[in-house]
Amino acid sequence: MRTGWRKVAHRALELSGLIGPLHRAQERRLAQADVEAFDDGRPLPPAELRVLVGGAADPKWFSHRGRADAERFMDLARRHGSPFESGLSVWDLGCGCGRIARWTAPVVLNGGGAFRGTDINPRLVEWCAAHLPGSYRRNPLKPPSDLSPESIEVIYAYSVLTHLREGVARAWLAEMARVLKPGGLAMVTFHDEDYARAWGPPEAQAQIALDGYFVLNDALEGSNYMSSWTTRQGFRALLPAQLEVCEIRPGQLDAPVQAIAVLRRRTV
């Protein structure tokens, strides 16, 4: 936890807007780190884009974690009756530079489905559109998206709510309900109490116990600079009436893997 004067100085930088240039300078330094060459046979975004979505330039980590998270989503969708390879319309909300889409988009398209990826950063979706299969475009920080009502059968969002204030997180969950077909599936990750205990700062553990929702580094919403934390019960309280909880898998204590909520759009 920061000492008192450091917290005051840090908050002053956030309120003045100076934290933005400082954060971007840090990202540029991370992108210049020496990394071991790696090739997984698929288009790999440049280091600066990998840092924007994952906070590290290491291409091996980018590939392995992306594949593991993709397999986790695809396994959950299969368990809940919506396999990616069965001709469904799938939306990757917050696709970044395709860390997960590199693995999921080919499965969806090879199965005869439609794959869409969106992100708030135009540089990231431009890279995806130029190098990956599927359709990619920018979404705003706050909904609505440009998707039609009841047009999507599966949504997944990895570490999207984890960078939003509570009101915007609620709005995106409502947007998922709007665009999902009745019976459609949404899989959303978040920083829960287990993740906070194992991997979060002490203030996150204390604040979500008190308030249910906590924002660390309250500036640059939508970027990796900001992180948001909530309990599993707090997450349930964010949901619109149209979404029901199928299951919530807690954050992992032995690896930095976020909690995943599997949600279904009610049919009535």
Side-chain angles (χ1 to χ4, degrees):
M1 185 180 297
R2 300 187 187 99
T3 59
W5 70 269
R6 287 181 182 274
K7 288 179 69 174
V8 170
H10 194 86
R11 187 57 181 156
L13 288 171
E14 291 176 341
L15 293 173
S16 69
L18 293 176
I19 199 67
L22 291 174
H23 181 64
R24 288 188 286 272
Q26 172 65 11
E27 289 178 328
R28 288 193 294 271
R29 286 194 291 272
L30 290 172
Q32 294 167 3
D34 291 332
V35 295
E36 184 178 350
F38 179 80
D39 183 6
D40 61 11
R42 303 188 180 214
L44 190 70
E48 63 176 310
L49 299 190
R50 299 197 301 268
V51 168
L52 284 177
V53 304
D58 181 11
K60 187 175 183 179
W61 176 90
F62 182 89
S63 174
H64 288 182
R65 275 301 303 270
R67 185 170 190 173
D69 290 330
E71 290 176 348
R72 190 171 293 111
F73 280 131
M74 290 191 288
D75 179 63
L76 281 170
R78 193 175 300 113
R79 288 172 180 267
H80 289 274
S82 299
F84 278 37
E85 57 269 22
S86 61
L88 302 179
S89 55
V90 177
W91 179 21
D92 180 339
L93 170 59
C95 65
C97 55
R99 187 177 68 87
I100 296 174
R102 296 167 78 240
W103 306 100
T104 53
V107 174
V108 173
L109 295 172
N110 289 341
F115 185 89
R116 298 167 177 81
T118 67
D119 197 275
I120 64 171
N121 189 321
R123 295 175 60 203
L124 301 179
V125 291
E126 286 168 7
W127 186 91
C128 289
H131 296 92
L132 300 180
S135 172
Y136 299 89
R137 55 185 178 268
R138 184 177 178 274
N139 62 251
L141 174 63
K142 300 177 182 180
S145 69
D146 61 2
L147 295 172
S148 300
E150 300 185 2
S151 60
I152 300 294
E153 289 162 302
V154 176
I155 300 170
Y156 68 84
Y158 188 92
S159 204
V160 173
L161 302 191
T162 55
H163 304 295
L164 300 176
R165 298 183 181 99
E166 183 175 354
V168 181
R170 285 182 183 273
W172 275 112
L173 288 164
E175 176 68 1
M176 293 181 207
R178 184 187 73 85
V179 304
L180 274 177
K181 294 182 178 180
L185 204 67
M187 297 170 288
V188 184
T189 74
F190 62 100
H191 293 147
D192 71 341
E193 56 265 47
D194 284 0
Y195 193 92
R197 183 166 69 252
W199 310 101
E203 55 262 52
Q205 300 174 54
Q207 287 300 125
I208 61 173
L210 290 174
D211 303 326
Y213 200 98
F214 170 65
V215 174
L216 179 69
N217 297 333
D218 194 0
L220 307 181
E221 187 173 20
S223 77
N224 282 341
Y225 176 78
M226 174 185 286
S227 67
S228 302
W229 308 75
T230 187
T231 61
R232 293 186 289 275
Q233 188 60 37
F235 176 85
R236 288 174 180 270
L238 300 174
L239 296 175
Q242 303 96 316
L243 294 179
E244 61 179 340
V245 176
C246 298
E247 66 169 303
I248 295 181
R249 297 196 171 186
Q252 293 187 14
L253 299 176
D254 58 348
V257 176
Q258 297 175 14
I260 300 181
V262 181
L263 313 170
R264 191 173 299 280
R265 171 72 152 82
R266 298 183 192 274
T267 55
V268 291

